[in-house]
Amino acid sequence: MFKRLREDQKGLTLIELLAVVVILGIIIAIAIPSISGIIERQKVKAHDANAAMVLDAAKMYYIDNPGQAIKGNSITLKGLTDGKYLDGIPKNPFTGKQYDGTTNKVDYADGGELQVTLLSEVSGIDRDYKGATRADVLADKYSK
């Protein structure tokens, strides 16, 4: 009886198993570059969102402190945080560390236009905002 049961059992042959492994390898080889591209694009979007958030916080600062709204004046990320306009210095999505609170700033320019300097701090990343306005950030324009 046991002999007959063993003859009726079906399973994967070594060739079939090898074919499955090869197919899975091909799928993984295609998926990994796609996923890494998605991750990089999300880091860029997070950096853009940080720049917009810093500009909004600086706008509130200059509304609350109209005496500081003079061409050439600037406020650093540390100043925005100390003044409670930001909950904390945001994290740089490219490095995972906080942005430099003294180097990164918002300048008050002609006509009340605010210009942000928010550096990615990573070489090879072309997402350094230097003198970018909110419209530049939202329109995907930036200075290198």
Side-chain angles (χ1 to χ4, degrees):
M1 177 164 166
F2 287 113
K3 186 177 181 183
R4 198 172 61 200
L5 282 176
R6 281 193 351 211
E7 290 174 4
D8 290 342
Q9 287 184 349
K10 300 205 183 217
L12 295 176
T13 66
L14 188 56
I15 299 295
E16 292 169 330
L17 188 58
L18 184 61
V20 169
V21 170
V22 167
I23 290 170
L24 288 175
I26 291 170
I27 291 170
I28 290 171
I30 292 170
I32 288 177
S34 298
I35 292 171
S36 65
I38 291 170
I39 291 169
E40 285 306 309
R41 284 191 301 275
Q42 292 308 312
K43 287 180 181 180
V44 167
K45 287 181 181 182
H47 187 58
D48 295 349
N50 286 339
M53 177 181 63
V54 168
L55 282 165
D56 290 342
K59 186 176 186 178
M60 295 304 300
Y61 168 80
Y62 285 115
I63 288 171
D64 289 347
N65 300 286
Q68 295 296 314
I70 300 169
K71 180 182 174 185
N73 274 2
S74 63
I75 181 77
T76 63
L77 293 185
K78 184 173 178 353
L80 289 171
T81 302
D82 292 347
K84 306 291 186 214
Y85 294 94
L86 287 175
D87 287 336
I89 296 174
K91 284 190 176 181
N92 184 335
F94 299 107
T95 64
K97 299 176 185 174
Q98 287 182 326
Y99 291 101
D100 184 344
T102 55
T103 305
N104 296 293
K105 61 185 180 177
V106 178
D107 295 309
Y108 194 88
D110 288 330
E113 188 170 59
L114 300 179
Q115 297 176 332
V116 68
T117 296
L118 193 62
L119 307 176
S120 65
E121 299 172 10
V122 176
S123 63
I125 301 294
D126 61 356
R127 220 30 166 212
D128 286 342
Y129 287 108
K130 294 178 185 173
T133 64
R134 191 169 191 349
D136 293 338
V137 171
L138 297 177
D140 204 20
K141 295 178 185 173
Y142 50 92
S143 317
K144 294 183 184 176

